[in-house]
Structure formats: structure tokens, C-alpha cells
Amino acid sequence: MSQTELRDERQILRQAIDASDSEILKILAERRRLVEALGALKAGEYSPVRDTDRERAVIERAVAKGREYGLSDSFVETLFQAIIDDSLRRQRAGLDARVGDAMLTEARVAYLGGPGSYSQFAANAHFSGRYSGVAPVIKRDYAAIFKALEEGEADYGFLPIENTATGGVNEVYDLLRDTNLKIAGEHHMKIQHALMGKASDLGPVRTVYGHPQALRQAQRWLNSRMDLKKVPVTSTTRALERALDEGPEVAAVAGPDAARLFGLNLIEPMISDFEGNETRFVALAVDPAPASPLLPCKTSLVFITSDASGSLVDALDGFRQHGVNMTKLESRPVPGSPWEQMFFLDLEGHEEDKTVAKALEHLSGCAKSVRRFGSYGSDRLKPTSLEG
């Protein structure tokens, strides 16, 4: 076969692959539409969003069918777990908490930065399906986001609260400690830090701008380039603006989608310290509607224990007694009380669940103070196991 014939054959195969991809996407869109219809029926029947027996049956059937087509069990299982996770997200969005009883068509959301920021992409993803759109209320710092909510300028505040690489965002925890706002939802976002600018390669770059969190999460790559000056700025958007305005000697740390949004070149597509880098965001509101009990939920709170020996163990023992799983425990100092600690706690379940209510009652009996931030739909669900 001549080189021309090989090239033509390759083009024919690629066109066939593109057509197959289009059919796959069409089928997935139709499946999503059916899932949303099923979710509406579940809500009408007051049925829980999740049915793990049904999920397991779907995966088992798919794996068996995949074998007939020569597909590996692990590939099919991974694929259908992703499809099921998307289905659950779509159903949960329809039941998730909204501000008060108002069915807003557009949510006013206060977040850090602006176009191209991680918060922008995460907020748009989180509120998709809950509202028709997001009206951004852009703020320069976390305190301003809390103020915008408390003064009625925004319906929601949307902030990063923890990261898999750098841990909790202490400033957000400290602000949350002193507010009466409630958590209305959460969103996990995979973070991929990239270097972008007007330059086509790293050669002319001398200065790199980025939000402090982004610079911290890419410090291995950045520190290995001793000729680069690292400059923290107030937001990813500001870093992108500097890269756009100041010429090829300047670059910004942001997500790859931001390069396309700002028309910048992707100089280095992956500079994160860790591939599994994820940030958890929380949506805050003054008075969110209670989370539906049909949702898999999380509950968040902060408590202070006494100074007695073993007081923390005693306070947490109720969760063990009643089989309630804690997903996070973060300590922060109590202002004005040297060496005294308060503890931010996330747990699985709704605060009105019987087991959770009993565990919280036990906690209240052991702690000096307890303040709840509410129950809300969980964004991260354990995948169904075929061995379950």
C-alpha cells in the first residue's frame, strides 16, 4: 500500500471514529434526559435519590454485555460508574437546597476573582441544573464574600475550603467561625495548574503571577526554575490580566481553560505538584432551604471541648456508638484563649437522621459549645462496588 493510500485509509478510519464518538455523545445525552425524568418521578414518590442495588445491577449487566463485545470488565465498570455518578449529580441538583423558598431563575453568586478563575469554573458547574445561570458578584478577598452575603448583595457565597495538596483554607474556616451563614452545598473540582502567557515557550518568561494557593500547589515546578520570579496576586483573574497586559516576559498560573478564555498560549500544560489535586468548595447562604432528606447528605459544625483530659475523645465517641462516619476533623485556635482549640467537623448524613441526631445530642452533652452549619447534599459519593 502506497503512502497516499495509507494516508487515505487513516483519514477514513478517523472519520468513522469521529462519527462513533458523536453517536456515543448523543446516546449519553438521551440517557441523561431519561435520568432527569426518573429523578422527577422519584421526587414525586418521595423516593431516595440513590439505590445502590439498582446501580449494582446496571453495572453487572453492562459488564456482562461488554464481555460479549470483547471489552474488559474493569473498563466497563469504570465507565458505568462515571455515567452513574453523572446521573446522581443531575438528580441531586434538582433537589438541592435553594435560597429560602424562592425559585430563582438566576443565582447571584459572590466568589473570588473573576473570568478564568478556578472559582468561576467551579461555581458555574455547581449551580448548573440548580438555576438557569450565575450572576457573578466578583470580590477581591474572602471577607468581602461573607460581607456581600450578610448585606444581601448576593444569594450565595462560593469559596474554596480545603485542598488535597495543601489542606484547609484557614482564612475561610476563621471567617466561617464568626458568621451565622449556613452551608447550602459543596462542589469538588479537579485542579490542574498550567503556565500560560503571550510567549510560545518558557524562553522569554521571567515573572510568574498566581494566587498564593496556586503558587503553593505548583511550588515544586516553580522552585526548580530559579530564574523565574514568583509574584502572588489577589486572584487568578488578576494573574491572567497581568500576563495579557505585560508581554511575553510574564506568565500566569491558572487552569488550561483559562488560556483559551484569555487567548493566551499554554506554555506548560501541567505544573501541579500532585496529579490528584482537588479543591472542595462550599456554597454559603443566609437562609438556604433545608436539604431534601431524599439526598445523600453531609452535616458540618464547629465545637469547643472542655479542658478536661480525654474531653475530645468523649465528645466524638457518640459518632462511633451510633455508627456515624466523620469525613473531616479540622482544629483551629480559639481567639483570645491561648492554646484552646475549636474543631470543625464534617459527617455523613442529615442532622435529622435518627443516628446522626443521637450522635449530635451526645456531642452537645460533652462539648462546651456546638454550632451547626446545616445539612446539605453531598457532592462526593462512594462508587457502587460489584462486591457490595
Side-chain angles (χ1 to χ4, degrees):
M1 186 178 290
S2 68
Q3 287 297 320
T4 301
E5 290 172 328
L6 283 172
R7 189 165 50 251
D8 291 343
E9 183 69 16
R10 185 164 58 243
Q11 183 63 25
I12 290 170
L13 290 173
R14 285 175 173 170
Q15 289 174 350
I17 290 171
D18 291 344
S20 295
D21 290 345
S22 180
E23 285 300 309
I24 290 170
L25 293 172
K26 181 179 178 181
I27 291 169
L28 288 174
E30 173 63 13
R31 190 185 194 281
R32 174 183 275 188
R33 186 190 66 77
L34 295 171
V35 163
E36 290 174 347
L38 178 61
L41 286 178
K42 285 182 179 180
E45 297 170 351
Y46 213 66
S47 299
V49 164
R50 193 164 199 197
D51 182 345
T52 54
D53 289 339
R54 163 66 180 171
E55 292 172 20
R56 191 171 296 111
V58 168
I59 294 174
E60 287 175 345
R61 185 170 60 250
V63 167
K65 195 69 177 176
R67 288 173 188 158
E68 296 179 15
Y69 296 125
L71 300 174
S72 72
D73 292 2
S74 60
F75 170 73
V76 175
E77 182 177 351
T78 300
L79 174 63
F80 271 79
Q81 281 178 341
I83 292 172
I84 289 171
D85 184 64
D86 176 74
S87 298
L88 291 172
R89 286 176 183 271
R90 301 298 293 185
Q91 292 181 63
R92 295 201 306 272
L95 288 172
D96 212 354
R98 292 174 180 265
V99 175
D101 295 323
M103 297 294 286
L104 305 179
T105 57
E106 190 173 56
R108 297 175 301 160
V109 181
Y111 55 79
L112 190 67
S117 67
Y118 296 100
S119 292
Q120 181 210 17
F121 292 120
N124 288 340
H126 177 75
F127 289 99
S128 174
R130 293 169 173 84
Y131 294 91
S132 64
V134 169
V137 181
I138 306 304
K139 296 299 175 183
R140 288 289 184 179
D141 55 59
Y142 297 134
I145 294 174
F146 278 76
K147 185 178 180 181
L149 274 175
E150 292 163 348
E151 295 183 350
E153 184 184 357
D155 303 309
Y156 292 98
F158 196 75
L159 308 98
I161 196 167
E162 61 179 315
N163 176 267
T164 54
T166 54
V169 182
N170 290 337
E171 184 181 352
V172 174
Y173 276 111
D174 291 343
L175 288 164
L176 194 60
R177 173 193 64 208
D178 298 324
T179 184
N180 291 319
L181 299 175
K182 298 289 186 179
I183 298 178
E186 66 171 0
H187 182 82
H188 290 79
M189 180 182 183
K190 290 185 178 180
I191 302 296
Q192 179 181 338
H193 295 301
L195 190 73
M196 58 202 66
K198 285 191 170 180
S200 57
D201 56 45
L202 196 58
V205 177
R206 294 295 175 265
T207 303
V208 175
Y209 292 104
H211 185 272
Q213 287 286 335
L215 296 179
R216 282 181 62 197
Q217 293 165 21
Q219 60 184 339
R220 290 183 185 175
W221 188 93
L222 291 170
N223 290 343
S224 69
R225 273 73 180 176
M226 301 302 294
D227 57 325
L228 296 180
K229 181 182 179 182
K230 299 85 178 175
V231 181
V233 289
T234 55
S235 69
T236 298
T237 303
R238 184 59 182 144
L240 290 162
E241 290 171 346
R242 299 288 290 267
L244 192 63
D245 294 340
E246 297 182 18
E249 293 186 353
V250 170
V253 177
D257 288 338
R260 291 187 285 272
L261 185 64
F262 274 72
L264 296 171
N265 295 320
L266 207 55
I267 299 171
E268 291 286 344
M270 175 62 176
I271 63 172
S272 301
D273 287 349
F274 305 98
E275 284 193 18
N277 189 1
E278 288 192 21
T279 293
R280 176 186 173 224
F281 291 82
V282 289
L284 303 177
V286 173
D287 183 30
S292 169
L294 304 180
L295 288 168
C297 284
K298 289 173 72 173
T299 298
S300 295
L301 52 93
V302 61
F303 67 93
I304 302 175
T305 60
S306 69
D307 296 329
S309 177
S311 59
L312 178 59
V313 174
D314 292 340
L316 297 178
D317 192 51
F319 299 104
R320 181 191 61 81
Q321 292 178 21
H322 299 289
V324 177
N325 185 40
M326 297 184 297
T327 60
K328 183 176 179 62
L329 184 65
E330 180 98 4
S331 65
R332 295 290 298 145
V334 178
S337 299
W339 309 115
E340 188 174 6
Q341 297 287 310
M342 63 176 61
F343 299 90
F344 289 85
L345 174 66
D346 295 336
L347 56 90
E348 290 181 351
H350 195 288
E351 56 192 333
E352 294 182 0
D353 295 346
K354 289 182 179 180
T355 54
V356 173
K358 289 179 180 178
L360 293 177
E361 183 180 358
H362 176 96
L363 176 66
S364 297
C366 296
K368 287 171 62 175
S369 67
V370 179
R371 184 153 57 85
R372 303 181 191 180
F373 298 117
S375 297
Y376 48 92
S378 178
D379 182 55
R380 179 60 53 81
L381 301 178
K382 295 177 181 176
T384 299
S385 171
L386 291 180
E387 300 175 358

